[in-house]
Amino acid sequence: MDPLLQYSSLIALSPIIAFALISMVPSSRPRLTEWIAVIGVAVSAALSLLILAIEFFGNGSGISPVAYQQQIPFLRFSAGAAVTLGIYVDWLTVVMTAVVSSVSLLIVIYSVGYMHAEGARRKRYFGVISMFVGVMLGLIMANNLFELYIFWELVGLGSYLLIGFWYEKPSAAKAAKKAFVVTRFGDMFLLFGIVLLLSVADHTVMYQALFQPSSVTALKSSGFLTLATLAMFGGAMGKSAQFPLQDWLVDAMEGPTPVSAMIHGATMVNAGVYLVARMYPLYSQAPISALFVSFIGAFTAMFAATMALGTFDIKRVLAFSTISQLGYMFMALGAGAYVLSRQPIGAASYSLGYSAGIFHLMNQAIFKALLFLAAGSVMHSLGGTQDMREMGGLRSKLRITSVTMLFGSLSLAGIIPFSGFFSKDAALEAALGGTAYSPVFLLIWLFGIVGALLTAVYIFRLWFMTFAGKPRYPPEVHVHESPPVMVLPLIVLAVLTLVAGVAVLGVAGFAMAVHYPAVLSPHVSPYAQFNGALGLLGDPATYLSLFLAFAGVGISYSVWGRGRSGSKAVSGAITSRVYSVLVERYYFPQMYDKLGIWIGYGVARGLDFFDSKVVDGIVNGVGRFFIFSSENIRRSETGYVQQYAGAIVLGIVVIAVLLILLPMMGV
Amino acid sequence: MIPVLDVTIFSAALFSVGVFGVLYRRNAIMVLLSIELMLNAANINFVVFSGTAPTSAASADGQVYALISIAIAAAEIAVGLAILLVLWKTSDTVEVNEVATLRW
Amino acid sequence: MIVAAGSLLLSLIMVLSREIVHSALYFAGVLIGISLLYFLMGAFYVGIIQILIYVGAVVVLILFGIMLTRRSILLG
Amino acid sequence: MLLISLMILLPVVGFALLLAMRSDLARNRLTAALFSGVPLALSAYMLIAFNYGNPGYQFTEHYTWISTSYFTISYAVGVDGIALPMVFLTSLVSFLVVIFSWDVKHRCNQYFGMLLLVEAGVMGVFTTTNYFIFYIFWEIVLVPMYFIILIWGSQRRVYSATKFFIYTHASSLVMLLSFFALYFEYHSLFPSRPFTFSITKISQVSPLFPALFQEIVFLGLFFGFIVKMPVFPFHTWLPDAHTDAPTGGSVMLASLLLKMGSYGIIRIAVPALPYGAKYFEYVILVLAVISILYGAWVSMAQRDMKRMIANSSISHMGLVLLAIAAAVFTLNPKTGYINTLGISVADFQMFAHGLITAVLFMSAGVVQHHAGTRDMKSLGGLARKMPTLATMMMAGFLASLGMPGMIGFAAEFSVFYVTFLSFGLLLIIPILTVVITAGYYLWSMQRTIFGADSGSVDFSGIHDSEWFEWIPMLVLILIIVAFGIAPWLMFNPINIAAAHYYSSMAGALR
Amino acid sequence: MIQFFASGMSPLVVMIAGAVLAAALSFYVSNRVLGWLSVVTMLITFILLFMIIGGEIPNPQTFGNVMVEDDFAAVFQLIFLSVGLITVLPSVKYIEGDRNQGEYYSLLMLSVAGMMVISASTDLITLFVGIALTALASSSIVAFRKKDRIAVEAAMKFYIISALSAGLALYGISLLYGLTHTLQISALASSLQGISPSSPSFPTAMVALVLIIAGFGFEIAMVPFHMWAPDVYEGAPTPVSGLLSSGSKKAGLAAILKLFVVALIAFRTEWAPVFGALAILTMTVGNIAALQQKSVKRMLAYSSIGQAGYMLIALPVFAAAFGYHGIYGANLQVFSISSGIFQILTHAIASSGAFMVVAIMATNVSGPTVDEFRGLFRNNRLLSLSFTLYLLSLLGIPLLAGFDSKLLIFSSAVGGSIIQGYSWLIWLAIAGVLNSAVSLIYYVRVIKEMFSDTESPVTKYRMTGFAQLSLWIATVATVAIGLYPGPVISICNGAARALLALL
């Protein structure tokens, strides 16, 4: 074990400490908070990269599944049941922390420039964003599901605070609320799943104990495994914005652009993917859940891509793209898990889906952050507009931004040799691999392939509309390239998009992430990797998707690429009904609003009415009944003394009757 | 000797007449008179039961009770009439149902 | 027996009589009947006291009361 | 050791002193702070001096009060792990409420006096080990609370105060009858033993009570307690009382008084009548689930901020009842075995809710005080004018909706855990509250502190909360976070004590 | 002299002597002196009673089979005297402008003396005489303001109903005499044992029972014999209302205890359910009717009817305990009677105190309305606080006397319900509890007005020293008994044992 691992908890703690420090800085000194935030995240990035490097190059091949773990008490229910907090470092953790912290660092640095105009409010911004990064890293490093849930919720809190950063804008406040509530809806299932696991799986949700083949088998035979995994995927659907919980992520664009980059690229949305990857030993024994994950992912991949075609908001296009790309990851993970579940325990050896999912996560983090930051740079230079119809022709003005964004777009579209190509094709290949076991995967693969085409179309639509053609922005806007502190991260990220795929695949064959499912199959070599670039290139399906990617770019170019952004093609399409469906995002926002208003508020109003009229009405009715009877009894006092005498005589009669009756009644 | 049962029946009847009078008559004086009838009925009982007493002491007791009750009745009627007179002076009536200011 | 029946009848008439003064007189009759009953039962002392106090004092008192509380005697 | 008696008596002395004093704000509030501060210090000392390894009662005191051949009442107090958090909560919240009320000018001597009297009563309820004394303190609380609502309340205060008084008084009388039943049944069961009102002595023989007796008497006790908690459908006094009470009163009401009900269930109703509880386990469960969802859902429809918080209290107290139901469900009539985890969790959730709801009501009070209205529709954009308040309020709301890192989450999670242990997949129904709660809290934040001004309130003269307003909130939040990070600090002693406290049931059957 | 004061009769004699003296001296001395005279008389009696209870004067002492001065009598006499004292003190101010004050004090003391006779008597005729004395004296004193139409109307109603009840009761007594040839209560208890439901004289006995219930039910304003009470309490001079509510009603209860616990114990299975039903009816009607009253005096009248219902609970519980063997039964017998007496005692104090507050508030007859109490706290702290305490005591809030007694009485009902065949007693407790809750509504209404912020419509009340003293007596007693009821309960136990000793 590497001694450095003892300090690995710092990876998560350092941004959180930064947050604590920032909250103590007087708000009159925002500059200081920037420094603290950058340093805090930089420490984690440095530490995680260092650990990655050491583990990878140093004694990489000898690393045990659980490299490091420690814990402190949280709640102890009984002798056998307790939940603790701790950290857990294995390959997945190392990879994820490295990706998250380094991309976050770049985004934080970028923010220093982007948020410059915010003045004293930067304190809040940098404080929260440090916290956000910290809890995301905590989520990754948690050593049990319960702790994961803690950070999971805190990530939600961070997103709430960041999306609602401009809280005085009603739309921002609303979007923040929506993000929180919708993800919480998913989290509810996750919580349910965790409680379920905690209750049935020997009262522990520690990964180490949970993933023992014996405990997984026990879970499986108890019948709760499918339910638990499905429930947990509910959480993942919320956080990773999968159909039908995707809509919040689009609204979340109300936050500052670096926040979007953070949420989409580095942190929040990856949490769902991470969860499924982390729970792989469980998913790979739950075929129904695995299939469900894969199907939802593939469908979302295509579905979101169509919506991306229908929007002119530059950030929203990217948001849909994120949703779509996350779908690919789930598709790959689910397919891999399904295949594994069809193989006997202990002899499973299919790691393509898993590797592809994680690989794509990593690549997506990079190119999505790049795209967002570049988009932010565009907006920054144009003075804030997000509407692509008011852009165009920026290529010459924003040279660096346009080039870096092109890199990002190419990667996203899956053009060789950019990183996105490798991971996306691996994902599609994984889906295709599932067809051997279930015909459903054919459909899934079809979704994926159509999605790939659409991806290329919409991202180049974005690029062409923004940078190509003639300027459509008002002439008085003075367009200028962003400051170096913003441009530098762009360049770094662009380089990464170019090299990451080749490097990882070439150097390591993406071995590191493959390790994980080996827990389930101790007999198989932990390095049962997929065959790297060569394997991919040897497959005809790859060429199909590559062709589709190029075709997509071509379509884009033909429609938007020749400076005809406001052209007939667009205006014609905009009138068409299909297009309006896309613009309205398949009416999902309306549906959510209706749902919120009808189910949430409507039922609430109904219940409130019921509460005040019926339940409280009965209470008040009892009171009124007493008043009523009081009035009647009162009226019996007529003031006529003879009536009183009569009452006495009547009383005598009644008592006499009582005396006769009571023995009869047996009293 | 008069049979005890007959006398008790008579006293019960007298008592009932008294109760009836209390309820039936509106004039306060008549109400008083009816009450006196009730008391008298009780007195008759005392006297008639004293005749069947096993010991002479117990027998004497009954008659003494009757005397005490006569005394009380007399006192009662005196106080009652005094009150009625005051009532007459303040309300100008002795009809019991005409004074019903106090109610509810 | 006859005395008793007579007293009872008188008491009924007394209760039902519309004129209060008549009632008072009937009342006196009832009382006398009762005292007769006492005599018949051998309770002479009680009977005498009954006549003295009731007929002598109470009835007079009542008549007095009637007189004082009527606007016009014997005119209803 | 006079520790507990001092904690009860000092506020009473303060109450008497304050009533005797003239209405002079500066001196009154200092007096009140002193007489609630010392009990706080004492309870802090108690936290330190408490022997956490000992599951039984500590700091016990025992004096005979009334003693005749057939009627013996003893003043007996003590603190065990179950009572410890409640005692701490009581002294803490009372003191903070006094601080928070620093600027109540209207009839201030009486106001502070009433607050102190409430503190004394609640403290007595949580510490006594005698049914009778329990009832006495229980009732004593009503009177000052009634006056607090009546005199210092808002619009419909007369209606609300009266409703509160009548409703809770009626229920507590039913409870009293049930105490008597226990008292006599104990003696008729063991004629050789003297009559006793001792909670522990009766609990020790409770499984031996006949079944029908248990069922009937449990119903009485349960009714008495759930009205106070309150639980659907006996909850309607609560939104009214909370809404119309002054802020200090609302805080006391929500943080402390509601806990008396649930405390009664775990301290008395279940241990004294285990099979009665067992018989009604599904009734408890259903009422709990309804309360949880119903309270949350009704909260969503509220415009009045305090009313919303009040309804959310119903929901959160429903969680307490749910945990209790989970514990009762594990009761085995044959062996007397019970898994007391649910009991501990319920107690813990009570502690959590007591801390959190105090912040909520305080923030609502500040809004009312500074903005002049609690109507969320006419508020908006407060965060810009009152950043401190907004921060505190947000922290409170987040704590209440179960944000990890705060005590509410640990408690809520534990409740769900025990629920699943007992009821399995049924958990999916109560767990819905997680979403609804988030929904209404966030929505109300969106309407009050975020967004733009609604324009119906004049914000020109508005300024941020005063020191005496935000410091109590801050203190509470810090404690919430502290126990949110290390909930075991409070949970472990509760858990040990609950197991010990209920162990006598199995013992009685042996 | 010493021998006289050592006699158990001395309290009664002193009272009557005081009454005669007051009437006789009324032409010669000032009104103030008359007031002092009655106060001093009562104080002397007080001391004598304490000596009796404390055993300084030997007790029990019997007087020719008609009276006994034992702990039971002494405790009740103590109650009557306390009420008398609390009543007399504010009276001095209340009747300031009236004529014939000598008669007022005299009648008042005579009325108390009548009650004392009731509590001491062991013979039904003595009991009857006591009742007649009380009733006659009270009805005269109700009409004390003879110019006042309302007062006279009240007197008339009171008089007619009391006379009717006397007729009913006397007839019942005469029937009992016919059955047993004795009216001595202990002798009755034993000779009535022979009458079982199957014996031919049983119906007669039942008729007597019903008539006696009705005849004595009037005195304690038991529903349905209660209807006079609100009118009379409202119409009477307020101190007299207090006396009626707290004194003569308690005397009626003393009579009922003697009659049913001792004399008619043989018929306990018959009367127990009847009293159970009447108790429920009484408390329910009294409390519910009180809800809608505007006049505080009338409200207190109904409240006092309701409270009588609580006191009646003791009877059926005793009946249950009497048939129950063993230590439990024996304990419960004493317990039920003792708690009944305790309830009588605490109610006497709180209720007389409350009536005195009303008397101080207004010197007009019909008394203040609830509205007139508005803001009283700002005007007069002593008045409002003591009134609050009395009302809360009547309501049964802990640490006040009324709570302790209510508690004992309800608990005795619960204790009785465990006995086989008497499980219905629990309904008494439940009804009592529910009624307590209902009664809260109207008590609290007054309290609420007193503490409201609005300015009082009435000017400041200036109280004489006497009046203040009266309030202090009642307040201190209410709080002290509430805080430490032990000694008082043991006195009540002694009284209960003394009563049971007559059996």
Side-chain angles (χ1 to χ4, degrees), chain A residues 147-198:
Chain A
E147 187 185 357
L148 176 136
Y149 183 78
I150 291 181
F151 286 113
W152 185 275
E153 284 294 296
L154 289 173
V155 166
L157 169 66
S159 72
Y160 175 72
L161 296 174
L162 288 171
I163 295 169
F165 180 73
W166 288 311
Y167 56 77
E168 64 276 9
K169 272 194 344 203
S171 58
K174 198 174 168 215
K177 179 193 76 184
K178 188 170 177 181
F180 196 97
V181 175
V182 173
T183 54
R184 197 131 221 262
F185 181 72
D187 298 351
M188 178 184 77
F189 293 103
L190 174 59
L191 183 61
F192 182 78
I194 293 173
V195 170
L196 196 156
L197 282 178
L198 181 60

Side-chain angles (χ1 to χ4, degrees), chain A residues 634-635 637-638 640 642, chain B residues 22 25-26 97 103-104:
Chain A
R634 201 162 88 91
R635 293 284 162 186
E637 292 274 328
T638 50
Y640 301 122
Q642 247 169 351
Chain B
V22 171
R25 293 308 300 256
R26 298 282 174 263
N97 286 350
R103 52 182 181 172
W104 298 329

